[in-house]
C-alpha cells in the first residue's frame, strides 16, 4: 500500500519537474533573443556597430597616427520603400581615434510622405565594435516629404584597439519602412490576394 | 489543385522518355569530385576534401573489413561457437583515443585553411553583391558601375518546347566581370530574403542577408567564364537565379571598366533608388528619352523587355494565381495609366513586385507598360512616352 | 502494489469494441499499434511526395510540378517524414516495448498516452490541409527560415499551428516515457540493467523535453512576426533573420539525435540476439549515448557556417561537431565487437541491423566531412547534404525501424513473418536506397544546389539514376506492407515466446502474442 502511494508521489514529482522544464525551455527560446543580442554586442556578430552616447574628450582619445584604416560607405535599398540612399563619400582613410564625419544623401522618390529608418551593418563583423559612432541617423524614424532629399550625417571614430589584421571597414546602411507598415502589411497581402 | 500538375501530357512525356531511355546528354560530365579549382581557396579546399576522404575511406575499410570477416568466419552455419565476452577496457580506451587523435590531425589543416579564407585585407577591388528575388545586382564600388544580372535561358527551353542549350539555367544576360590574378573583395547583402552566392570553382559560398552585410574574397587564376547558382532557398525561382562570372585579364578588365563607366558624373545626380547607380545599367541616351516614340516602336521594344516579367506573370500574362496576379484584364493593366506606371516604377510593398525604375531605363519602362496594355489579351490603346517616365523620376 | 493494479484493472478491462476501443484506449499495446500504423501511413504520404519530387527531377526542364508546388513538396516531405513517420514510429516502439522490457504493466500515464496520440491525426490533417489553401502549402523548406517564411500565405500559419500540436504530442509522450522508466521498473531492474533500447529512449525523451519547447518558441515568434507586429527576425524593426536560424537549430540539432538515438537502441537489441552474445561494452554504450546527447546542444551552428560567423565561433562549432565522431565511433566499434567471435545468423532483422551499421557509418563520415568548415562552404546546401542526411535518416532511423518491425512482429502478432519475403524486401530496399542516394553525393560535389525544381544539363545522368532508384525504393515498400498484413492475419507459422534463439530480455518471457495486460505482477530481475 505504502509503496503504491510512494510511487504515486514519485510520479507526481517527476511530472512537475518535467512540465517545469518544458515551460522553462519554452522561455529559454525567448531568452535566446536578448542573449543573442548580448552575444552580438560582445563579439560584434551581425555587425551592429557600437553607438557611443557620450562624446569623448579628445585628451582621453588621442589619435594614433601610426595606423590608417580605410572606411567604405555603402547603402542598400528595400523593395518596400522607394528611397535612394547614397554616400556622398565612397571611401576615406582615417587614423585610429580620429573623429570623422560624412553624409548620406537620402531622397524620397515617391509621391507620398514616408517614414523610414536605417539599419547599419559593419563588415568585417570583428571590426563592428571598434567602429564607434558619435552621431548616427540609424534606428531613428526619418520622415521625408515627397521628393525631399536630406543629408544625414554620421560621425564616428575607429577605436585604437582595432585588431591589426583589419585594414578596411565597410559601413552599410539598409533603409526599411517604419513599422507602421506591419499592421498594413496584412491588409496589403489580402489586397494582393483579392486583386489576383 | 488544377495547377498542381502541369498536365497529364507532361506525365506521359516523362514515361515516354523513361521507356526510350533517351540518349545520355552530350554534356555529361559524370563528375565524381569537386570541380577543378580556379582559386587558391578552392584548391586548398579540394586538398582538404581529398585528405578527409582518404582518412574516412581508410577508417571505413578497416572497421567494415573486421565486420565482414566476422560475418564470414563467425557464423553459426560454419559451426562457430559464441564467446561470451562483453568488455575489454584496454580496447575501449584505445578506440576512443585513436579517433580523437585522427580528429586533431584533421582539425589542424582545416583551421589553417579557414584562417586563410577569412583574411579579406589588401584587396584590389571591391564588388557589392545584392540578392533579389530572383536576380543578382553587382555594384563596383570603386568604379561607379552597377547592373543587374538575370537568367537568360529562354522559357521555351525550361518548358521543354526547345532543346536545352549547353549552359541551360547557368547563363545570364549580363555577367559579373572581374580581373584575373587580383584579390577581389565581395560585400554581400540582400534586398528581400536570404540568398547565397556560390561559384563552386571559386570555393566560396556566402549568405546574402537582408539588413546585414557579409564579406569574402576570391582571387581567380585565369581568365574564363565561371558559373554558379543561388544556394539558399529563396522562393519560387530559387533554381533560376544563376551566377556567371566573366574573368578577364587585368588589362582587358581595365578596358571593360573604361567602356562601362558612367560617361558623365552629372548624370549620377538624378539617381534612382537605393544606392544603385542608374547610369551604368539601364542607361538610355537622352535623345531616346526625349523623342516621340511610335506605338509600334514601343510595342516592339516592350516585347523584349517583357521577358523580365515572364517568370511571375507568365508569357501570356496569365500570372500564377494566387501568388502572382495575371496581367490580362487586370485592374492595373486595363485601369488608369497612372497606377500602372506607379506599380512598375515603384513596385508593390511586401510582394515580389520590385521597383523596376532601379533596373530599367525610361525607354524600357515606357515600352513595357505600353506592351502590357496593348498585348497579352489587353487592348487599352494608350501609350506612354519615355519622357513621361523621365519626368516622374 | 495491489491497489495500483486493481485500479489499473478498472480502467482497462471492460473495453468498448469497434472504433470506440481505439479512440478511448489507454492500453500501451493498442496505443503503440496506433502509433505504428500512423507512422507507416505518414511514411507513404511523405514517400509519395518524394516520388513527385524525383519525377520532376528525372530530367532537366519543368514537367510534373511547378516551382511553388515543388517547394511545398520538399517542405512537407521533410516535415511529414520527421514529425509524422520517424518520431511517431519510435514512440510506437517505445509504447509497445518499454513497459514489457522493464516489467511494468503499462505506461505510467495511460490517459495522457491516449491524448498524445490522438493529437497527431489532427495535426497532420492541418498540415496537409495547408496544401489546399489559397497561398498553397508552406514553401520555405522545413527549416522555415525567416524572412522567406514570413512571405507565405495562410498555409504557413496552418503549418505553425500543426507544429505546435506535434510538439505538444511529443512532449506529452516524452514525459510519459520518463515517468514510466523512472517509476515503474520491476524490482531488481536497476538503471544499469535496463535494455539499451530503454536507455536510448530515456535520453531521447530528455532531449525532446529540452528541444521541442524551443521549436515552439521559434515558430511562435515567427507567427507574431507575421501577424502581430513583433520584429524578432525583421531587420527593419531591429531584429535579425539569423537569430531565427540560431533558435531553430538549437532545437534542430538535438532533433537529429532524437531521430537517431532510438535507432541505436534498436540495433543494440538486434545485434546481440543474432550474434548470440551479450552486447559488447554496455556501460560505454550508455555513456556514449549520453555524451552524444550533451554534445547535441553545443553544435547547432554547424548548420549555418555560411551565414557569416566570427572566426572563433566557426572554430568552436567545428571542433565540437568533430568531437561527436568519438562517441558515435565507440558505438559502431561496440557493435562490431559484439559480432566478433559470436555465432552469427542472418535473419531479416539482423540484415537490416547490419545495413544500418554499414550505411549509417557512411552518413556519419560524410557528417564529419561537413563539420570541416572550409569544406562545408562547398558542400553546404548542395545534394551532398541531401545524400548525407538520407544516409543518416533513411538507412539509420527508417531501416532500423524496419529491422525492429521484423524483430518484434512475431512477438506482437504471435506469427512469424515470411522470411523469404522479408529478405527480398531487405535487398530491394538496400539496393534501391543506394541507387537513389549514393549518386547524390556526386551531384552535390559537382555543384547541384538542393531544393531546386530544375537543373542544368550536366547533372542529368545522376538525377536519372537517382529517380529510378527512388521509384524502386517506393515500390519495394509495398512488399513491406504485404508482409506485415500477412503476419497480422495469422496464416503463418506460430511464433514461440522466445521467438529468436539468442534473444534476451523480459519481453521474450511472455507469450507471443502477449496477453492484453502483461506483468500485472511484476517479475523479479536478478
Amino acid at each position: 500500500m505504502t509503496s503504491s502511494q510512494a510511487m504515486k508521489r514519485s510520479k507526481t514529482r517527476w511530472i512537475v519537474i518535467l512540465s517545469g522544464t518544458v515551460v522553462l525551455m519554452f522561455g529559454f527560446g525567448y531568452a535566446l533573443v536578448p542573449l543573442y543580442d548580448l552575444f552580438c554586442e560582445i563579439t560584434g556578430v551581425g555587425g551592429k556597430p557600437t553607438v557611443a552616447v557620450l562624446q569623448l574628450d579628445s585628451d582621453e582619445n588621442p589619435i594614433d597616427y601610426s595606423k590608417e584604416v580605410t572606411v567604405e560607405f555603402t547603402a542598400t535599398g528595400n523593395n518596400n520603400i522607394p528611397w535612394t540612399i547614397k554616400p556622398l563619400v565612397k571611401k576615406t582613410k582615417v587614423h585610429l581615434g580620429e573623429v570623422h564625419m560624412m553624409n548620406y544623401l537620402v531622397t524620397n522618390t515617391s509621391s507620398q510622405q514616408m517614414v523610414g529608418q536605417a539599419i547599419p551593418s559593419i563588415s568585417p563583423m570583428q571590426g563592428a565594435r571598434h567602429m564607434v559612432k558619435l552621431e548616427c541617423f540609424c534606428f531613428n524614424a526619418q520622415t521625408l516629404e515627397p521628393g525631399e532629399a536630406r543629408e544625414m550625417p554620421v560621425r564616428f571614430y575607429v577605436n585604437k584597439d582595432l585588431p591589426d589584421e583589419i585594414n578596411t571597414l565597410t559601413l552599410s546602411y539598409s533603409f526599411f519602412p517604419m513599422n507602421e507598415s506591419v499592421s498594413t502589411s496584412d491588409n496589403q497581402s489580402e489586397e494582393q490576394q483579392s486583386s489576383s | 489543385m488544377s495547377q498542381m500538375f502541369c498536365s497529364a501530357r507532361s506525365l506521359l512525356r516523362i514515361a515516354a522518355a523513361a521507356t526510350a531511355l533517351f540518349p545520355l546528354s552530350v554534356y555529361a560530365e559524370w563528375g565524381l569530385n569537386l570541380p577543378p579549382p580556379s582559386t587558391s581557396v578552392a584548391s586548398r579546399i579540394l586538398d582538404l576534401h581529398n585528405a578527409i576522404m582518404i582518412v574516412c575511406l581508410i577508417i571505413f575499410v578497416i572497421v567494415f573489413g573486421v565486420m565482414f570477416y566476422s560475418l564470414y568466419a563467425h557464423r553459426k552455419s560454419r559451426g562457430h561457437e559464441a564467446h561470451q565476452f562483453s568488455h575489454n577496457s584496454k580496447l575501449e580506451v584505445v578506440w576512443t583515443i585513436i579517433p580523437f587523435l585522427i580528429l586533431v590531425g584533421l582539425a589542424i589543416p582545416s583551421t589553417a585553411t579557414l584562417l586563410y579564407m577569412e583574411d579579406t585585407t589588401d584587396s584590389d577591388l571591391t564588388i557589392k553583391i545584392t540578392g533579389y528575388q530572383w536576380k543578382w545586382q553587382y555594384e563596383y564600388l570603386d568604379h561607379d558601375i552597377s547592373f543587374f544580372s538575370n537568367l537568360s535561358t529562354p522559357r521555351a527551353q525550361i518548358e521543354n518546347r526547345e532543346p536545352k542549350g549547353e549552359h541551360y539555367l547557368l547563363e545570364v544576360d549580363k555577367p559579373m566581370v572581374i580581373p584575373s590574378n587580383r584579390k577581389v573583395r565581395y560585400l554581400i547583402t540582400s534586398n528581400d530574403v536570404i540568398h547565397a552566392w556560390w561559384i563552386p570553382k571559386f570555393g566560396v559560398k556566402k549568405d546574402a542577408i537582408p539588413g546585414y552585410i557579409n564579406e569574402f574574397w576570391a582571387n581567380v587564376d585565369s581568365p574564363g567564364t565561371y558559373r554558379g547558382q543561388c544556394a539558399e532557398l529563396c522562393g519560387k525561382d530559387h533554381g533560376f537565379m544563376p551566377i556567371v562570372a566573366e574573368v578577364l585579364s587585368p588589362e582587358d578588365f581595365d578596358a571593360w571598366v573604361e567602356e562601362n563607366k558612367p560617361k558623365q558624373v552629372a548624370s549620377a545626380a538624378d539617381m534612382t533608388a537605393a544606392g544603385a547607380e542608374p547610369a551604368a545599367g539601364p542607361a538610355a541616351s537622352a535623345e531616346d528619352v526625349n523623342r516621340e516614340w511610335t506605338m509600334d516602336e514601343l510595342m516592339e521594344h516592350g516585347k523584349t523587355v517583357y521577358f523580365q516579367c515572364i517568370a511571375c506573370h507568365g508569357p501570356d500574362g496569365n500570372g500564377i494565381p494566387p501568388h502572382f496576379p495575371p496581367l490580362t484584364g487586370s485592374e492595373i493593366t486595363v485601369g488608369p495609366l497612372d497606377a500602372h506606371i506607379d506599380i512598375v516604377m515603384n513596385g508593390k510593398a511586401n510582394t515580389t513586385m520590385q521597383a523596376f525604375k532601379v533596373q530599367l531605363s525610361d525607354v524600357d519602362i515606357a515600352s513595357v507598360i505600353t506592351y502590357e496594355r496593348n498585348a497579352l489579351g489587353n487592348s487599352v490603346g494608350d501609350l506612354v512616352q519615355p519622357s513621361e517616365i523621365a519626368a516622374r523620376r | 502494489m495491489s491497489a495500483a493494479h486493481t485500479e489499473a484493472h478498472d480502467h482497462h478491462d471492460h473495453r468498448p469494441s469497434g472504433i470506440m476501443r481505439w479512440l478511448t484506449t489507454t492500453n500501451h499495446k493498442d496505443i503503440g499499434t496506433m502509433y505504428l500504423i500512423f507512422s507507416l501511413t505518414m511514411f507513404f504520404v511523405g514517400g509519395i511526395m518524394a516520388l513527385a519530387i524525383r519525377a520532376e527531377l528525372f530530367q532537366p526542364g519543368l514537367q510534373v510540378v511547378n516551382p511553388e508546388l515543388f517547394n511545398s513538396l520538399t517542405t512537407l516531405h521533410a516535415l511529414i517524414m520527421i514529425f509524422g513517420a520517424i518520431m511517431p514510429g519510435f514512440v510506437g516502439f517505445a509504447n509497445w516495448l518499454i513497459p514489457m522490457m522493464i516489467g511494468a504493466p503499462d505506461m505510467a500515464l495511460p490517459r495522457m498516452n491516449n491524448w498524445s496520440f490522438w493529437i497527431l491525426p489532427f495535426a497532420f490533417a492541418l498540415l496537409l490541409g495547408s496544401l489546399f489553401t489559397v497561398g498553397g502549402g508552406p514553401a520555405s523548406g522545413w527549416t522555415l527560415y525567416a524572412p522567406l517564411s514570413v512571405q507565405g500565405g495562410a498555409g504557413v500559419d496552418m503549418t505553425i499551428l500543426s507544429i505546435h500540436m506535434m510538439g505538444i504530442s511529443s512532449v506529452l509522450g516524452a514525459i510519459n516515457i520518463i515517468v514510466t522508466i523512472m517509476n515503474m521498473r520491476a524490482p531488481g531492474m536497476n538503471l544499469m540493467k535496463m535494455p539499451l533500447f530503454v536507455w536510448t529512449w530515456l535520453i531521447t525523451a530528455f532531449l525532446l523535453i529540452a528541444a521541442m519547447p524551443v521549436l515552439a518558441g521559434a515558430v511562435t515568434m515567427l507567427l507574431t512576426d507575421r501577424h502581430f507586429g513583433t520584429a524578432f527576425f525583421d531587420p527593419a524593426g531591429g531584429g535579425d533573420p539569423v537569430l531565427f536560424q540560431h533558435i531553430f537549430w538549437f532545437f534542430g540539432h538535438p532533433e537529429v539525435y532524437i531521430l537517431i538515438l532510438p535507432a541505436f537502441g534498436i540495433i543494440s537489441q538486434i545485434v546481440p540476439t543474432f550474434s548470440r552474445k551479450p552486447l559488447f561494452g554496455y556501460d560505454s554504450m550508455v555513456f556514449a549515448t549520453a555524451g552524444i546527447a550533451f554534445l547535441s546542444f553545443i553544435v547547432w551552428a554547424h548548420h549555418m557556417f555560411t551565414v557569416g560567423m566570427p572566426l572563433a565561433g566557426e572554430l568552436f562549432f567545428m571542433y565540437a561537431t568533430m568531437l561527436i565522431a568519438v562517441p558515435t565511433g565507440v558505438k559502431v566499434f561496440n557493435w562490431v565487437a559484439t559480432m566478433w567471435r559470436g555465432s552469427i545468423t542472418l535473419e531479416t532483422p539482423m540484415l537490416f541491423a547490419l545495413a544500418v551499421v554499414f550505411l549509417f557509418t557512411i552518413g556519419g563520415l560524410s557528417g564529419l566531412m561537413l563539420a570541416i568548415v572550409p569544406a562545408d562552404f562547398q558542400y553546404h546546401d548542395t545534394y551532398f547534404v541531401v545524400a548525407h542526411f538520407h544516409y543518416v535518416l533513411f538507412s539509420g532511423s527508417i531501416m532500423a525501424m524496419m529491422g525492429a518491425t521484423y524483430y518484434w512482429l512475431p512477438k506482437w502478432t504471435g506469427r512469424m513473418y515470411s522470411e523469404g519475403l522479408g529478405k527480398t524486401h531487405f535487398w530491394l530496399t538496400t539496393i534501391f536506397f543506394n541507387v537513389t542516394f549514393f549518386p547524390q553525393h556526386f551531384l552535390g560535389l559537382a555543384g547541384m544546389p538542393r531544393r531546386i525544381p530544375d537543373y542544368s544539363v550536366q547533372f542529368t545522368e545522376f538525377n536519372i539514376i537517382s529517380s529510378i532508384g527512388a521509384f524502386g525504393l517506393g515500390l519495394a515498400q509495398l512488399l513491406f506492407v504485404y508482409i506485415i498484413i500477412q503476419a497480422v492475419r495469422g496464416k503463418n507459422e506460430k511464433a514461440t515466446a522466445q521467438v529468436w534463439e539468442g534473444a534476451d530480455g523480459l519481453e521474450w518471457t511472455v507469450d507471443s502474442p502477449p496477453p492484453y495486460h502483461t506483468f500485472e505482477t511484476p517479475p523479479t530481475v536478478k
Side-chain angles (χ1 to χ4, degrees):
Chain A
M1 278 318 240
T2 45
S3 80
S4 119
Q5 275 162 357
M7 189 199 275
K8 213 166 186 176
R9 244 201 321 275
S10 166
K11 275 187 192 176
T12 316
R13 204 181 63 225
W14 273 101
I15 294 169
V16 170
I17 293 173
L18 295 171
S19 316
T21 315
V22 170
V23 174
L24 213 70
M25 288 310 292
F26 184 76
F28 178 74
Y30 276 84
L32 279 173
V33 179
L35 282 176
Y36 179 70
D37 281 348
L38 188 72
F39 174 74
C40 292
E41 210 173 291
I42 295 169
T43 59
V45 182
K48 281 182 191 167
T50 311
V51 180
V53 186
L54 279 175
Q55 189 162 345
L56 293 177
D57 205 289
S58 58
D59 306 345
E60 292 169 10
N61 186 29
I63 298 167
D64 177 0
Y65 287 103
S66 64
K67 194 186 171 191
E68 258 192 340
V69 287
T70 305
V71 181
E72 289 179 332
F73 304 95
T74 172
T76 308
N78 185 280
N79 271 350
N80 298 331
I81 184 163
W83 287 14
T84 68
I85 323 133
K86 191 182 152 75
L88 293 179
V89 179
K90 296 219 147 164
K91 90 173 35 170
T92 179
K93 282 193 177 266
V94 303
H95 294 290
L96 298 187
E98 197 176 17
V99 177
H100 268 258
M101 176 152 161
M102 66 80 62
N103 286 306
Y104 275 80
L105 180 69
V106 184
T107 315
N108 178 0
T109 63
S110 77
S111 50
Q112 294 158 347
Q113 187 200 58
M114 292 196 82
V115 186
Q117 77 175 338
I119 306 299
S121 173
I122 289 175
S123 182
M125 55 181 69
Q126 285 91 334
R129 67 193 162 111
H130 301 287
M131 179 139 180
V132 183
K133 290 196 284 176
L134 302 170
E135 188 181 339
C136 169
F137 55 88
C138 43
F139 294 119
N140 294 325
Q142 306 281 347
T143 310
L144 288 184
E145 299 301 321
E148 183 186 348
R150 190 186 301 162
E151 286 194 6
M152 298 189 184
V154 182
R155 217 143 58 91
F156 68 94
Y157 67 88
V158 180
N159 227 326
K160 278 193 293 86
D161 52 6
L162 182 77
D164 278 344
E165 62 269 18
I166 299 177
N167 62 9
T168 305
L169 284 169
T170 305
L171 173 60
S172 166
Y173 283 101
S174 305
F175 255 93
F176 292 92
M178 262 306 266
N179 243 359
E180 62 192 2
S181 67
V182 171
S183 54
T184 56
S185 72
D186 281 3
N187 305 338
Q188 273 160 342
S189 60
E190 274 163 30
E191 270 169 38
Q192 182 199 353
Q193 288 180 356
S194 59
S195 73
S196 56
Chain B
M1 287 302 282
S2 62
Q3 82 265 11
M4 268 174 81
F5 295 91
C6 287
S7 73
R9 211 182 319 137
S10 55
L11 275 172
L12 281 177
R13 213 179 301 136
I14 293 196
T19 44
L21 270 181
F22 61 91
L24 294 182
S25 155
V26 285
Y27 310 117
E29 289 182 4
W30 293 102
L32 301 180
N33 207 340
L34 290 170
S38 58
T39 64
S40 51
V41 166
S43 80
R44 283 184 187 216
I45 291 176
L46 180 62
D47 291 345
L48 199 55
H49 164 82
N50 287 338
I52 321 164
M53 270 310 283
I54 290 166
V55 171
C56 287
L57 278 176
I58 292 171
I59 298 173
F60 197 78
V61 167
I62 293 174
V63 173
F64 290 102
V66 173
M67 186 177 102
F68 281 107
Y69 173 78
S70 181
L71 288 181
Y72 164 75
H74 305 146
R75 253 175 317 149
K76 195 185 178 194
S77 54
R78 288 174 57 95
H80 196 272
E81 293 279 325
H83 291 59
Q84 301 295 326
F85 64 92
S86 69
H87 284 282
N88 186 328
S89 304
K90 240 182 252 165
L91 198 59
E92 291 178 54
V93 169
V94 167
W95 70 39
T96 309
I97 289 177
I98 289 182
F100 185 79
L101 295 178
I102 294 173
L103 291 177
V104 172
L106 287 177
I108 292 168
S110 310
T111 307
T113 305
L114 191 60
L115 288 172
Y116 178 69
M117 294 177 81
E118 293 281 319
D119 176 19
T120 54
T121 55
D122 300 322
S123 61
D124 301 302
L125 176 71
T126 302
I127 298 177
K128 181 175 164 198
I129 303 170
T130 310
Y132 285 72
Q133 284 174 318
W134 294 275
K135 66 192 81 170
W136 297 98
Q137 184 191 20
Y138 300 102
E139 289 171 72
Y140 294 67
L141 294 186
D142 308 314
H143 302 293
D144 270 356
I145 297 174
S146 159
F147 54 86
F148 283 84
S149 182
N150 288 286
L151 175 74
S152 64
T153 302
R155 285 307 288 183
Q157 289 189 15
I158 296 171
E159 285 159 5
N160 312 305
R161 286 178 280 113
E162 273 176 20
K164 294 174 177 31
E166 185 184 356
H167 299 300
Y168 176 70
L169 294 188
L170 294 179
E171 49 200 350
V172 297
D173 53 358
K174 219 166 174 321
M176 179 182 84
V177 178
I178 49 169
S180 59
N181 288 308
R182 291 285 180 273
K183 185 166 180 176
V184 182
R185 175 169 161 264
Y186 299 88
L187 298 170
I188 183 165
T189 186
S190 164
N191 180 62
D192 34 51
V193 300
I194 300 177
H195 303 267
W197 197 88
W198 179 38
I199 293 186
K201 287 184 179 176
F202 287 9
V204 290
K205 184 184 287 147
K206 207 71 162 185
D207 287 3
I209 299 164
Y212 292 83
I213 195 150
N214 266 328
E215 67 180 5
F216 61 91
W217 64 275
N219 187 343
V220 186
D221 299 339
S222 51
T225 306
Y226 299 87
R227 293 165 203 279
Q229 277 175 279
C230 176
E232 179 68 59
L233 180 63
C234 56
K236 178 177 86 75
D237 279 353
H238 164 54
F240 303 90
M241 52 181 293
I243 295 155
V244 179
E246 192 72 50
V247 180
L248 303 177
S249 68
E251 300 76 41
D252 291 348
F253 177 76
D254 290 340
W256 179 86
V257 168
E258 272 316 305
E259 206 175 300
N260 287 274
K261 236 186 356 209
K263 297 292 176 279
Q264 287 161 325
V265 190
S267 70
D270 60 324
M271 24 177 310
T272 55
E277 302 306 324
S285 73
E287 209 176 308
D288 274 347
V289 174
N290 293 326
R291 80 179 166 88
E292 195 81 356
W293 285 60
T294 66
M295 180 66 130
D296 287 347
E297 284 175 322
L298 288 169
M299 289 295 283
E300 194 191 340
H301 185 62
K303 190 170 181 180
T304 61
V305 178
Y306 185 72
F307 185 76
Q308 297 209 23
C309 317
I310 287 178
C312 298
H313 296 296
D316 307 316
N318 296 328
I320 308 172
H323 308 277
F324 304 103
L327 296 183
T328 308
S330 96
E331 334 173 341
I332 297 282
T333 49
V334 302
L337 184 59
D338 229 35
H340 194 171
I341 297 177
D342 182 62
I343 200 169
V344 174
M345 288 185 73
N346 298 321
K348 179 161 181 165
N350 299 311
T351 70
T352 45
M353 181 68 194
Q354 293 159 10
F356 278 95
K357 68 179 174 190
V358 189
Q359 302 171 33
L360 300 178
S361 71
D362 297 340
V363 174
D364 292 341
I365 294 176
S367 311
V368 81
I369 292 173
T370 308
Y371 178 77
E372 285 169 1
R373 297 176 80 77
N374 298 294
L376 312 171
N378 299 331
S379 50
V380 185
D382 53 0
L383 56 79
V384 195
Q385 288 299 340
S387 53
E388 293 174 51
I389 304 296
R392 281 170 169 255
R393 291 249 185 214
Chain C
M1 280 317 272
S2 60
H5 291 138
T6 40
E7 190 185 74
H9 263 285
D10 289 343
H11 279 305
H12 302 312
D13 252 354
H14 36 82
R15 48 178 152 137
S17 54
I19 184 75
M20 283 313 284
R21 168 186 167 190
W22 297 103
L23 281 174
T24 59
T25 183
T26 55
N27 180 285
H28 73 101
K29 300 183 183 74
D30 284 352
I31 293 174
T33 304
M34 290 196 295
Y35 264 113
L36 291 172
I37 293 170
F38 181 80
S39 157
L40 192 61
T41 313
M42 283 297 138
F43 178 59
F44 277 92
V45 174
I48 286 166
M49 291 177 173
L51 292 186
I53 291 168
R54 282 316 320 172
E56 177 54 57
L57 293 173
F58 182 70
Q59 50 172 319
L62 293 177
Q63 293 94 10
V64 185
V65 294
N66 60 41
E68 296 94 320
L69 181 63
F70 184 89
N71 288 344
S72 292
L73 287 175
T74 51
T75 306
L76 290 173
H77 165 73
L79 287 171
I80 286 173
M81 287 303 195
I82 291 168
F83 293 100
I86 300 181
M87 286 168 66
F90 282 136
V91 179
F93 283 105
N95 260 293
W96 253 104
L97 296 169
I98 287 177
M100 283 165 71
M101 283 178 161
I102 62 173
D106 203 312
M107 296 295 281
L109 310 161
R111 262 169 299 185
M112 196 165 93
N113 206 8
N114 173 293
W115 301 334
S116 62
F117 172 76
W118 280 109
I119 291 172
L120 282 180
F122 296 97
F124 281 88
L126 196 62
L127 182 65
L128 288 170
S130 72
L131 266 180
F132 303 97
T133 59
V134 187
S140 53
W142 82 280
T143 48
L144 300 169
Y145 277 7
L148 185 61
S149 52
V150 179
Q151 280 183 350
V156 180
D157 303 318
M158 289 168 76
T159 307
I160 290 173
L161 199 60
S162 109
I163 288 176
H164 274 133
M165 292 165 74
M166 298 167 198
I168 291 169
S169 161
S170 32
V171 163
L172 291 180
I175 291 178
N176 204 348
I177 285 169
I178 295 174
V179 176
T180 305
I181 296 174
M182 297 320 282
N183 293 291
M184 315 256 301
R185 295 191 309 276
M189 172 71 78
N190 62 35
L191 285 176
M192 290 312 272
K193 273 187 189 159
M194 293 195 309
L196 220 74
F197 178 73
V198 180
W199 252 117
T200 51
W201 240 116
L202 179 64
I203 291 167
T204 302
F206 276 109
L207 286 180
L208 276 167
I209 282 178
M212 291 306 286
V214 178
L215 174 67
V219 294
T220 307
M221 288 182 226
L222 200 57
L223 191 71
T224 56
D225 265 17
R226 284 169 57 82
H227 296 296
F228 303 106
T230 59
F232 289 106
F233 312 126
D234 179 7
D240 186 344
V242 176
L243 173 65
F244 179 83
Q245 300 186 19
H246 280 291
I247 303 177
F248 182 87
W249 287 114
F250 186 86
F251 142 80
H253 204 76
E255 171 69 16
V256 172
Y257 294 105
I258 289 167
L259 298 174
I260 195 66
L261 290 183
F264 288 170
I266 287 167
I267 304 307
S268 304
Q269 302 298 131
I270 294 177
V271 169
T273 297
F274 297 95
S275 304
R276 291 164 182 77
K277 259 183 67 190
L279 182 69
F280 185 90
Y282 175 94
D283 296 7
S284 65
M285 282 300 225
V286 172
F287 295 133
T289 311
I292 292 173
F294 169 75
L295 286 173
S296 77
F297 282 103
I298 56 164
V299 296
W300 75 89
H302 69 214
H303 294 270
M304 37 192 289
F305 281 140
T306 60
V307 299
M309 265 184 278
L311 187 64
E314 289 189 327
L315 289 176
F316 170 79
F317 286 111
M318 171 166 81
Y319 298 150
T321 306
M322 291 172 82
L323 216 52
I324 291 183
V326 175
T328 314
V330 165
K331 284 184 164 285
V332 173
F333 299 145
N334 280 348
W335 289 323
V336 173
T338 305
M339 291 174 224
W340 187 254
R341 301 182 72 190
S343 179
I344 300 171
T345 49
L346 296 174
E347 286 89 344
T348 311
M350 182 63 167
L351 287 176
F352 270 101
L354 292 172
V356 170
V357 175
F358 187 81
L359 298 173
F360 171 82
T361 305
I362 295 179
L365 290 173
S366 61
L368 178 63
M369 297 169 76
L370 283 158
I372 310 280
V373 182
D376 178 73
F377 287 147
Q378 287 288 36
Y379 312 141
H380 180 79
D381 263 335
T382 67
Y383 261 82
F384 189 82
V385 177
V386 177
H388 157 72
F389 64 68
H390 281 97
Y391 267 85
V392 176
L393 291 180
F394 191 98
S395 62
S397 310
I398 298 216
M399 283 174 69
M401 279 199 270
M402 288 173 178
T405 307
Y406 288 109
Y407 185 56
W408 281 295
L409 198 62
K411 169 57 60 188
W412 298 339
T413 62
R415 301 280 167 167
M416 295 306 289
Y417 59 87
S418 157
E419 192 62 51
L421 287 181
K423 281 188 172 138
T424 311
H425 172 234
F426 165 77
W427 284 111
L428 289 176
T429 303
T430 307
I431 291 168
F432 280 120
F433 167 77
N434 284 291
V435 172
T436 309
F437 292 105
F438 207 79
Q440 294 186 358
H441 288 113
F442 303 132
L443 283 172
L445 293 177
M448 179 168 162
R450 61 192 283 210
R451 293 166 167 171
I452 55 172
D454 193 5
Y455 49 83
S456 72
V457 285
Q458 56 172 322
F459 305 129
T460 311
E461 288 71 23
F462 283 129
N463 271 300
I464 293 174
I465 296 172
S466 183
S467 290
I468 293 172
F471 278 87
L473 186 59
L475 287 176
Q477 302 322 311
L478 297 176
L479 183 59
F480 184 46
V481 178
Y482 176 74
I483 295 168
I484 294 173
I485 291 174
Q486 213 187 26
V488 171
R489 291 180 67 192
K491 300 264 161 63
N492 291 356
E493 176 199 341
K494 272 201 158 74
T496 59
Q498 177 65 21
V499 186
W500 310 108
E501 187 190 10
D504 182 36
L506 287 177
E507 79 265 35
W508 307 109
T509 62
V510 297
D511 290 341
S512 303
Y516 197 57
H517 299 294
T518 35
F519 298 124
E520 303 267 67
T521 323
T524 308
V525 181
K526 53 173 182 6

